[in-house]
Amino acid sequence: MKIDFYDLFSLHTPNDFPEAGGENYITAAVKSRVMKNISAKSATKKSRRIVKTVIAAAAVAACMGITVGAVSGRFGQFFSTLSRSEISDSTFDNELPAVGDNQADMTEYYALPEAEFTTDGSVSAELLGIYNDSSTLMLSLMITPESGKDISDMLMPFYFTLKCADGSEKILGQSGLAGIESFTRADIDGSYCLTFYLTDPNIAGSTLEILSDGLYTADQIETAHKIKLERQRQEREQFESDEEWLAHKAVASYSHSSYEAERLDLQKYVPDAFGAISAEIEIPETSGRPTEANAYGISMRLDSLSLYISKIPDELKGDMYAGAAYTVYLKDGSVISDEFFMFDDVVLTDNGYDFNGTRYSQYAYMRGTETGSIRCFDRPIAADEVEKIAVYVKSYDEEYNEQVTEYTIYDE
């Protein structure tokens, strides 16, 4: 099939990027995550990226076995959508790869697996594309109401079930009310995009089942959220301590039962919802082998987009444990971490750490797992860029003097 690659340029026309989202908002726990206004980036920044995107498109198609027609129709839409998306839980000053201005390095990660969507007929759904490493997945969907209905102010909870290669299944923690994302206007009139960033140590090579019972108003989601909080309050009363309750939540958040309860709440109290969809998506294996290491009872896996680290053994915490920092040192002198108490040259202000003019930066995204945590970078990082990876444990001695101990997990 002959394709004019200038089609990709039209998908990046700044005039096609009107603001999306609405002024509606709900409880503080939800509204900050789902009702942000999304605005277009400047034309000058986009123009520099478009050329790189077009050049990479044909190579991506050949490597991934995607038809050129599919690339022209979805490749540009995928990155255009990501450039305007705001992902819940991403840190304030760092954006995830290809979300915002750091797109150029991500084109080679693009994939478009086959995905057949089942819908209730009131909307159509399309997979714009994904990218992933062994522990993270960026997923973008396009939703089009058949009636041309304006759904920009509506919310669409999704439930993500990961079917792993070993036959096990789990619901991901970004599912349901905890992981609602706001719509971004699509480049196609009458369509809307949803973008999710999912994390799990078993993402690569697994099958992702996605399910949504439909679209809801902000008020309907607020009702379900309040019911959920009341249910959690009643569950909390069954435990004698916060530690027992948090341990229970850590397990329950990955169980099917809590999410089934959420779905039943929505179905019971807001029966007029529409737009139910479902599909299964095969997540590709990663092309390179992640770097793995184990020391002091802590295991790590360094991939191009993320760092997975297992939980710190109790024997390393001591009696007066006060926290830990997971830190990546790059050969260019820069340092990525989640906490900075071990550095004397980082200034903590009322608004957080001040990194201006320093070598330090934060991870773009962090998410706990059953066995540890996943920390995500704002750009691809090759293993040969990394000098060392260390865990810093902060504790106090008997006289309440602060103690910081470094445990080097990986050292080239």
Side-chain angles (χ1 to χ4, degrees):
M1 178 186 298
K2 185 177 180 180
I3 181 67
D4 185 354
F5 276 97
Y6 283 96
D7 288 347
L8 291 177
F9 284 85
S10 66
L11 293 173
H12 287 264
T13 301
N15 292 334
D16 292 335
F17 300 159
E19 293 187 356
E23 297 298 327
N24 293 329
Y25 58 91
I26 49 179
T27 60
V30 176
K31 68 180 180 181
S32 64
R33 299 161 62 92
V34 301
M35 300 305 295
K36 295 180 180 179
N37 288 329
I38 302 171
S39 58
K41 301 295 183 180
S42 68
T44 55
K45 291 180 179 177
K46 285 186 181 297
S47 63
R48 289 194 292 268
R49 295 200 305 265
I50 292 171
V51 175
K52 295 183 179 180
T53 299
V54 174
I55 292 173
V60 171
C63 294
M64 301 305 302
I66 307 169
T67 65
V68 177
V71 170
S72 68
R74 301 184 191 177
F75 180 88
Q77 293 172 17
F78 176 78
F79 283 108
S80 173
T81 296
L82 265 57
S83 71
R84 292 171 285 133
S85 297
E86 296 181 4
I87 307 298
S88 298
D89 290 344
S90 58
T91 56
F92 177 77
D93 59 347
N94 272 351
E95 295 175 319
L96 290 163
V99 177
D101 299 329
N102 47 2
Q103 170 187 320
D105 294 334
M106 294 305 301
T107 54
E108 65 184 90
Y109 289 81
Y110 177 78
L112 183 60
E114 292 186 4
E116 183 176 347
F117 286 85
T118 299
T119 76
D120 64 3
S122 62
V123 301
S124 62
E126 181 179 353
L127 177 65
L128 293 183
I130 65 173
Y131 68 68
N132 71 286
D133 65 359
S134 60
S135 301
T136 69
L137 170 68
M138 182 71 79
L139 167 72
S140 186
L141 306 172
M142 185 163 68
I143 308 296
T144 305
E146 296 294 344
S147 61
K149 181 178 177 64
D150 184 353
I151 61 171
S152 58
D153 289 346
M154 302 193 77
L155 305 173
M156 197 171 191
F158 271 82
Y159 299 88
F160 302 100
T161 301
L162 195 66
K163 300 180 178 180
C164 304
D166 62 4
S168 61
E169 294 185 7
K170 66 176 74 172
I171 288 197
L172 300 184
Q174 293 94 331
S175 294
L177 300 179
I180 293 178
E181 299 290 354
S182 54
F183 281 109
T184 302
R185 290 280 187 181
D187 300 321
I188 299 175
D189 289 341
S191 296
Y192 304 81
C193 296
L194 282 172
T195 302
F196 299 93
Y197 197 68
L198 308 177
T199 57
D200 188 87
N202 301 303
I203 284 281
S206 296
T207 298
L208 182 70
E209 179 185 76
I210 64 174
L211 170 68
S212 176
D213 293 317
L215 292 141
Y216 302 89
T217 66
D219 289 340
Q220 290 169 337
I221 293 295
E222 181 180 10
T223 296
H225 185 66
K226 288 179 178 178
I227 294 170
K228 175 183 177 180
L229 292 177
E230 175 59 22
R231 184 169 54 249
Q232 290 180 341
R233 186 192 67 77
Q234 294 176 3
E235 291 177 357
R236 168 65 183 87
E237 293 177 351
Q238 302 174 23
F239 298 87
E240 295 182 358
S241 67
D242 288 340
E243 289 75 15
E244 291 180 359
W245 165 235
L246 292 174
H248 166 77
K249 285 182 64 178
V251 176
S253 65
Y254 288 89
S255 70
H256 286 72
S257 59
S258 60
Y259 291 112
E260 286 299 323
E262 281 186 17
R263 292 183 62 197
L264 289 173
D265 290 339
L266 286 168
Q267 293 167 9
K268 179 178 180 181
Y269 292 97
V270 285
D272 57 337
F274 67 94
I277 68 170
S278 63
E280 288 193 352
I281 302 171
E282 301 291 335
I283 308 304
E285 294 281 5
T286 54
S287 58
R289 184 180 180 87
T291 300
E292 298 182 347
N294 192 308
Y296 306 101
I298 304 172
S299 58
M300 58 137 264
R301 182 173 66 203
L302 173 66
D303 214 322
S304 53
L305 303 177
S306 64
L307 172 69
Y308 166 77
I309 292 190
S310 65
K311 294 180 179 178
I312 299 175
D314 290 340
E315 54 267 25
L316 298 185
K317 296 181 178 180
D319 295 333
M320 301 182 70
Y321 172 72
Y326 302 82
T327 308
V328 176
Y329 291 82
L330 300 181
K331 293 178 181 177
D332 65 3
S334 57
V335 178
I336 309 170
S337 190
D338 52 348
E339 292 290 345
F340 299 86
F341 55 78
M342 58 285 190
F343 299 114
D344 295 331
D345 55 341
V346 180
V347 178
L348 181 61
T349 69
D350 292 338
N351 297 319
Y353 290 108
D354 182 4
F355 300 119
N356 290 331
T358 74
R359 60 176 180 154
Y360 305 106
S361 64
Q362 292 178 297
Y363 296 101
Y365 190 93
M366 294 175 285
R367 176 70 66 162
T369 74
E370 296 165 285
T371 58
S373 59
I374 295 170
R375 286 158 166 76
C376 308
F377 308 128
D378 63 357
R379 66 171 180 84
I381 293 179
D384 59 11
E385 294 183 64
V386 177
E387 179 180 337
K388 76 171 183 176
I389 298 174
V391 175
Y392 294 87
V393 175
K394 181 168 69 172
S395 60
Y396 293 92
D397 61 20
E398 295 179 353
E399 298 179 353
Y400 295 97
N401 297 309
E402 183 179 293
Q403 307 290 322
V404 177
T405 305
E406 175 183 337
Y407 298 98
T408 299
I409 309 303
Y410 170 78
D411 191 343
E412 191 188 53

